[in-house]
Amino acid sequence: MKPRTGTIAALDIGTTKLCCFIARTDTHGETRVVGIGHQIAHGLRNGSIIDMEAAEASILSAVSTAEQMAGETIDHIIVNLSGGRQTSHNTSIDVSISGHEITDSDLRLAFQKGSENIGTGDREIIHAAPVNYSIDGSPPIRDPRGMVGERLRVNMHIITADAGAVRNLANCISRCHLKIEEIVPSPYAAGLACLVEDEIDLGVTCIDMGGGTTSLSVYYDGNLVRTDSIPIGGAHVTGDIARGLSTTLAHAERLKTLYGNALPSETDSNESIDVPLIGETSHSQANHVPKSLLIGILRPRLEEILEMIRDRLEASGFDKIAGQRVVLTGGASQMQGICELAATILDKHVRLGKPIRTIGIAEATGGPAFSVCAGLLAHAVRSRAESRVKGRGLLEEPGGFIGRLGFWLRECF
Ligand SMILES: Nc1ncnc2c1ncn2[C@@H]1O[C@H](COP(=O)(O)OP(=O)(O)OP(=O)(O)O)[C@@H](O)[C@H]1O
Ligand SMILES: [Mg+2]
């Protein structure tokens, strides 16, 4: 099996599952997923690696399944980062242009200054993209090149993460004999996979409800402008059910997906569900509890998650920019009634989101749990398209969906 050019491999390292998509660009320029591998995650907690060997084994298993299906081996991979205490920074940089036409090198200088502004030390920049520009106090400009003025202001969005978390991820991937093509923040990838262009332009918040983390990304005027995350997710809901009903985590997970609902209903107290007690092997020992008990356990945790997300959004000041639209994605967004609960708590219009830009994935791997993996592919396809257009310079074609979503600082030097 030989690696081929035009192949893109994406790996979503989640707290509960790992997923690898291998995609190939066909003769019509269309990118199609040709290999998929997914695997229960071991060695991860709340988006961070806690056991290197276990994480390595899970990655190898997901990647090799995808490789076998694709019929080729991969050597480079684009991978997400969920943990690492990510911080979203919005920074403005002023550069003097003294009346000359603005060129790529003015922008490069501004981006360099912007990344220096954020400072590094024990933090590493994992995402940096211009949001908009202004010349001598003008209204926002999308691409200032070719324009003249005295001072150029660049508003940038930068995400930093703990350098240790980035290094751990890099080590883990290299132990799997793979090279990292790029590290992408998970909230950014989730939004990229399931938001439509109009939402990205008008303002939207994407909430990725995973197993160990819940993250948010705010897109406005074509750009990612804010990300945040909390280390609570669907696994905490399962844990609450297991504790509350004295059952195993596996049974709690089953009860949650089979009978769970974020909204109580009048019939819940009349409906009885079987709960095998922890440590009991015989089914005759099953405990019968009303469904209302299950709903009463899981609902407060879902409320807590959504309220924390709402508070983070409000505290950041980006909830107004984000407008009235919210898109929920991630495995835990499959809970019945979650849209209605989110709409009440966030006081916004809520829809469910799943990958919309990926061709070749089956129904089973096209659900909301696969948004981040699909977003990694979408990002890789876009970066490669940008590189082809601009070589190692700056984007030549601003204005399109690709051009306006920002691009990686690394590409610009
Ligand atoms: N039908 C369902 N109803 C409710 N929850 C569900 C359903 N299906 C899956 N989940 C939950 O989704 C969570 C997993 O989601 P996902 O695969 O997006 O997480 P992850 O990517 O592994 O974790 P993270 O992004 O937090 O690192 C689990 O907690 C699981 O219980
Ligand atoms: Mg995830």
Side-chain angles (χ1 to χ4, degrees):
M1 291 198 290
K2 282 177 97 189
R4 295 176 204 175
T5 51
T7 298
I8 305 169
L11 176 69
D12 168 16
I13 304 180
T15 308
T16 59
K17 59 100 189 52
L18 277 103
C19 172
C20 176
F21 282 174
I22 298 177
R24 217 176 277 149
T25 308
D26 63 20
T27 45
H28 309 291
E30 223 167 45
T31 304
R32 181 173 291 276
V33 176
V34 290
I36 296 170
H38 60 106
Q39 158 77 28
I40 292 175
H42 296 289
L44 285 129
R45 186 177 297 154
N46 305 129
S48 299
I49 297 169
I50 55 159
D51 179 337
M52 193 62 94
E53 261 181 37
E56 182 190 333
S58 305
I59 294 172
L60 280 173
S61 167
V63 171
S64 68
T65 309
E67 283 179 333
Q68 275 168 20
M69 186 174 161
E72 64 181 295
T73 50
I74 52 160
D75 51 7
H76 281 73
I77 203 141
I78 178 160
V79 65
N80 67 319
L81 181 71
S82 298
R85 297 186 302 134
Q86 292 178 31
T87 314
S88 173
H89 308 263
N90 293 90
T91 182
S92 296
I93 311 104
D94 286 308
V95 284
S96 167
I97 39 174
S98 330
H100 71 249
E101 242 181 54
I102 297 167
T103 62
D104 285 354
S105 59
D106 295 309
L107 300 192
R108 277 193 202 100
L109 177 67
F111 298 155
Q112 190 145 27
K113 272 180 133 185
S115 50
E116 283 163 7
N117 266 1
I118 297 303
T120 43
D122 61 343
R123 307 282 294 166
E124 202 154 300
I125 293 175
I126 54 165
H127 173 95
V131 171
N132 58 40
Y133 306 85
S134 154
I135 302 169
D136 302 330
S138 69
I141 294 170
R142 278 193 173 165
D143 187 353
R145 282 170 297 164
M147 298 184 188
V148 288
E150 290 301 317
R151 283 201 85 69
L152 168 71
R153 167 164 289 195
V154 184
N155 294 312
M156 288 186 74
H157 177 233
I158 295 176
I159 303 174
T160 57
D162 283 342
V166 176
R167 263 203 308 274
N168 284 340
L169 177 64
N171 281 348
C172 195
I173 298 292
S174 94
R175 284 166 67 133
C176 299
H177 308 290
L178 290 166
K179 289 195 182 71
I180 293 184
E181 188 174 323
E182 206 162 294
I183 293 178
V184 177
S186 306
Y188 166 67
L192 205 52
C194 55
L195 298 176
V196 300
E197 207 170 332
D198 276 355
E199 287 172 330
I200 289 173
D201 276 341
L202 298 170
V204 64
T205 307
C206 178
I207 302 177
D208 176 13
M209 305 184 78
T213 57
T214 301
S215 73
L216 69 89
S217 52
V218 178
Y219 283 82
Y220 177 71
D221 199 16
N223 293 295
L224 174 71
V225 292
R226 181 82 188 175
T227 57
D228 205 345
S229 81
I230 55 168
I232 312 180
H236 296 78
V237 178
T238 307
D240 290 348
I241 296 170
R243 270 185 295 273
L245 299 181
S246 295
T247 192
T248 60
L249 286 170
H251 284 306
E253 180 73 22
R254 192 181 59 87
L255 293 171
K256 179 177 84 168
T257 46
L258 270 182
Y259 307 108
N261 201 317
L263 301 176
S265 95
E266 282 173 7
T267 57
D268 286 348
S269 45
N270 304 331
E271 235 178 283
S272 165
I273 52 178
D274 275 4
V275 183
L277 290 173
I278 199 160
E280 303 285 356
T281 45
S282 114
H283 194 70
S284 60
Q285 299 290 335
N287 186 20
H288 303 285
V289 301
K291 190 177 155 191
S292 54
L293 192 57
L294 175 74
I295 310 296
I297 293 170
L298 61 83
R299 188 179 155 97
R301 182 63 92 168
L302 293 171
E303 284 175 346
E304 181 198 17
I305 293 173
L306 292 165
E307 281 166 4
M308 283 175 80
I309 289 291
R310 178 197 61 198
D311 295 349
R312 293 281 185 108
L313 199 52
E314 281 176 7
S316 73
F318 281 87
D319 63 322
K320 296 280 179 294
I321 279 184
Q324 279 306 303
R325 285 196 74 78
V326 167
V327 176
L328 293 184
T329 193
S333 72
Q334 293 170 102
M335 172 68 70
Q336 299 278 324
I338 195 78
C339 266
E340 293 81 352
L341 183 67
T344 310
I345 292 174
L346 303 168
D347 193 20
K348 291 183 195 267
H349 227 50
V350 181
R351 76 164 174 93
L352 292 177
K354 59 181 190 175
I356 52 171
R357 300 194 166 79
T358 319
I359 308 167
I361 45 176
E363 186 67 25
T365 42
F370 298 92
S371 289
V372 167
C373 204
L376 294 175
L377 271 190
H379 171 73
V381 170
R382 218 192 53 210
S383 321
R384 287 187 183 188
E386 284 171 11
S387 312
R388 266 197 303 279
V389 175
K390 66 191 160 89
R392 288 184 63 80
L394 288 162
L395 207 64
E396 299 293 339
E397 287 179 2
F401 172 68
I402 288 172
R404 282 182 284 111
L405 264 170
F407 47 89
W408 293 89
L409 197 60
R410 198 183 316 151
E411 286 285 329
C412 304
F413 295 97

